[in-house]
Amino acid sequence: MKDHTTRRYAFVTALNVLITVAEFIGGFVSGSLSLLSDAVHNLSDVGAIIISFVAHLISNRRSNQKKTFGYDRAETLAAFTNGVILILISVALFIEALERFWEPTEISGGIMLVVSVIGLLANLLSMLVMHQAGSDNLNVRSTFIHMLSDALSSVAVVIGAIFIYFWHITWIDPVMTMLVSVFVFREACILTGKAADVLMESNPDIDLDQVNQLVLSYSEIKNIHHVHVWRYSDRYVMLDAHVNVNADLTAGEFEALTQAIAQKLERFGINHINFQVECERGKNDQMITSERSQE
């Protein structure tokens, strides 16, 4: 294993498999449907973690003739997939919580409490490990949210077990589950939206007017058009544009000019630029040009 993130994924995957097995055994022994439900939730998360883990390994592969951009977006695809899975899980948990109001379950609070506390501690450890892997990576973030949803679910089970064991109050369990599901749904929607923006090559909230002003502040640049700014992955924000220059500008001069502009554009978060040089063609075009208008 070549990097710390890979080791963290492996550790969290193994730990969550153990949590799931323990909760299944505890659920069957105690007769707790709530604990079994949490075990099923953890089982789905194990699958999501494996997806993230595999995507992380794929993303480390080098670019080749078939994948000239490389494999960085494998992690974005995994983040989007896991976001959708989280949305479905949160909706299912909310519906299940509603059903428990009408069909309360009999639970052996003692075993449920012990197993759920163990599960909570393990989930908190998993959260800590994934948080240290880097919160700026969407794929790592999706795994972290899975761990967070597991931890919150475990908290709900622990609180439910305490109230059931000491005071025989059963309605607290579905209430806590509903609160957890609403929180997870919100976080999952945000995560999925960010991943979708990357996949749709959306502008990552960069003010294009400021980019336009910066580029045109160099006297050698007469116009900039066909501007495209997008986040390729967590590591790269790219700018592609056509620029009009004087016909007598040499290749060496333009290279030095491009390097100077690239350094200034870093303040916007743009770290990869590509300019197509033109003299007359497109000199009157606007910064954003619809592709359909050219047909």
Side-chain angles (χ1 to χ4, degrees):
M1 298 182 184
K2 298 181 180 180
D3 60 82
H4 294 297
T5 302
T6 300
R7 288 193 289 270
R8 289 188 175 102
Y9 269 119
F11 175 78
V12 169
T13 301
L15 183 59
N16 276 267
V17 169
L18 292 175
I19 296 171
T20 303
V21 172
E23 288 194 331
F24 268 119
I25 295 174
F28 281 118
V29 172
S30 67
S32 168
L33 292 178
S34 177
L35 199 55
L36 286 173
S37 174
D38 195 45
V40 173
H41 181 197
N42 280 330
L43 181 62
S44 66
D45 283 349
V46 169
I49 295 169
I50 292 174
I51 291 174
S52 295
F53 188 14
V54 172
H56 172 71
L57 294 177
I58 292 174
S59 71
N60 289 329
R61 297 176 62 183
R62 296 182 178 180
S63 57
N64 52 49
Q65 291 188 6
K66 186 174 182 180
K67 297 289 189 297
T68 56
F69 271 104
Y71 292 83
D72 276 355
R73 281 200 176 174
E75 291 199 287
T76 307
L77 284 170
F80 181 82
T81 302
N82 282 335
V84 173
I85 292 173
L86 278 167
I87 290 173
L88 295 176
I89 289 174
S90 61
V91 171
L93 285 173
F94 191 89
I95 294 174
E96 181 184 354
L98 286 177
E99 292 176 347
R100 287 183 186 176
F101 279 111
W102 287 276
E103 297 180 6
T105 59
E106 292 294 331
I107 302 173
S108 176
I111 297 176
M112 175 185 173
L113 180 59
V114 172
V115 176
S116 60
V117 168
I118 294 173
L120 174 60
L121 294 176
N123 283 319
L124 289 174
L125 178 59
S126 296
M127 283 176 56
L128 177 62
V129 170
M130 293 313 301
H131 180 70
Q132 292 175 342
S135 58
D136 293 334
N137 183 294
L138 279 179
N139 191 33
V140 173
R141 177 67 179 167
S142 72
T143 305
F144 177 80
I145 293 176
H146 272 286
M147 296 299 94
L148 177 60
S149 70
D150 283 344
L152 290 175
S153 180
S154 295
V155 168
V157 175
V158 169
I159 293 175
I162 292 173
F163 275 79
I164 292 168
Y165 183 74
F166 291 103
W167 299 290
H168 305 288
I169 299 175
T170 58
W171 56 263
I172 190 70
D173 183 49
V175 169
M176 295 299 296
T177 302
M178 291 173 70
L179 292 175
V180 170
S181 64
V182 169
F183 175 81
V184 173
F185 181 83
R186 176 182 177 278
E187 292 295 312
C189 286
I190 294 173
L191 171 70
T192 306
K194 288 182 177 180
D197 281 342
V198 174
L199 295 174
M200 291 295 294
E201 298 185 342
S202 302
N203 177 2
D205 297 325
I206 293 175
D207 190 331
L208 294 184
D209 289 328
Q210 291 187 13
V211 172
N212 186 46
Q213 292 175 9
L214 188 152
V215 175
L216 292 180
S217 68
Y218 291 84
S219 59
E220 296 90 341
I221 306 294
K222 306 305 177 183
N223 186 39
I224 179 171
H225 55 101
H226 286 78
V227 174
H228 302 284
V229 177
W230 73 100
R231 179 178 294 281
Y232 173 71
S233 67
D234 292 306
R235 292 186 290 179
Y236 297 110
V237 175
M238 312 183 86
L239 166 66
D240 182 87
H242 295 204
V243 292
N244 295 99
V245 300
N246 292 327
D248 58 354
L249 189 70
T250 67
E253 292 171 338
F254 183 73
E255 181 180 356
L257 176 64
T258 302
Q259 291 177 350
I261 294 175
Q263 289 179 349
K264 292 289 185 66
L265 287 174
E266 287 180 357
R267 76 186 192 201
F268 298 109
I270 299 171
N271 53 17
H272 183 93
I273 69 171
N274 178 53
F275 285 151
Q276 178 173 318
V277 185
E278 298 172 341
C279 294
E280 296 296 325
R281 186 178 64 173
K283 66 180 181 179
N284 296 319
D285 287 350
Q286 297 179 350
M287 178 172 58
I288 303 296
T289 304
S290 171
E291 297 295 336
R292 292 184 178 180
S293 65
Q294 303 175 53
E295 296 178 354

